[in-house]
Amino acid sequence: MFYSQPGLRPRTWEASSPEHKKWVEVFKACDEDNKGYLSREDFKVAVVMLFGYKPSKIEADSVMSSVDPNTSGIRLKEFLDIVRKKKEAQLYRSEVRHIFTAFDRHYRGYLTLEDFKKAFKQVAPKLSERIILEVFRGIFSS
């Protein structure tokens, strides 16, 4: 999927009911004292449980600075929104990686104009070479 404007992302993604339930269960499990919010450390544990990695200090700082300053941590609603956005970004990166891999037929880790042309000849054979060149320049000059 290609977008003509830099930074444009696919429409928002919604969690399935079982996935949403899992997120709520993780929130409750990490909110050990039933405070109604997750502290910085609670949040880190929740990310490990859901995504399999410990968030960096920068990521934790960013999340904690984005929460309501009148609370002592991340409330359930905020947590669900944060997790949904992380999942959305994860799916977007996965989609981009999948598309790139399909274009990178020689497994070089980069695309040449010829790779790009061959890929477009397969998926959009009637697309003019001029358009393909403009897309290539637009993507790789950003």
Side-chain angles (χ1 to χ4, degrees):
M1 200 177 297
F2 295 102
Y3 301 96
S4 59
Q5 298 174 13
L8 209 54
R9 292 270 168 102
R11 67 176 191 265
T12 58
W13 171 85
E14 295 300 323
S16 65
S17 183
E19 195 157 28
H20 185 270
K21 184 179 176 190
K22 178 182 177 184
W23 298 352
V24 171
E25 288 171 1
V26 166
F27 179 90
K28 289 178 180 176
C30 292
D31 180 18
E32 291 180 5
D33 300 328
N34 294 321
K35 306 173 297 284
Y37 64 86
L38 298 182
S39 68
R40 177 190 192 88
E41 292 307 311
D42 296 337
F43 172 72
K44 288 180 180 181
V45 172
V47 170
V48 170
M49 291 173 71
L50 290 172
F51 295 96
Y53 77 94
K54 181 181 174 187
S56 68
K57 180 183 181 335
I58 293 170
E59 182 178 355
D61 286 347
S62 173
V63 168
M64 296 310 288
S65 69
S66 71
V67 299
D68 183 353
N70 297 323
T71 63
S72 300
I74 305 166
R75 301 233 176 254
L76 177 61
K77 184 179 183 310
E78 293 169 316
F79 176 75
L80 294 175
D81 191 46
I82 290 165
V83 171
R84 181 189 54 78
K85 287 177 183 172
K86 286 182 72 55
K87 184 69 173 181
E88 199 173 90
Q90 188 179 51
L91 292 171
Y92 178 76
R93 283 190 303 273
S94 177
E95 181 181 8
V96 169
R97 187 176 303 112
H98 179 75
I99 292 169
F100 180 87
T101 302
F103 280 34
D104 183 19
R105 303 172 122 201
H106 303 287
Y107 306 105
R108 293 179 293 216
Y110 62 88
L111 298 178
T112 65
L113 178 57
E114 288 310 309
D115 295 332
F116 210 69
K117 285 179 182 178
K118 286 177 184 173
F120 269 90
K121 290 262 187 267
Q122 288 183 339
V123 297
K126 294 184 180 181
L127 205 56
S128 74
E129 191 162 328
R130 182 184 62 79
I131 298 289
I132 295 170
L133 185 59
E134 285 178 21
V135 170
F136 184 82
R137 285 183 180 152
I139 290 172
F140 296 105
S141 67
S142 310

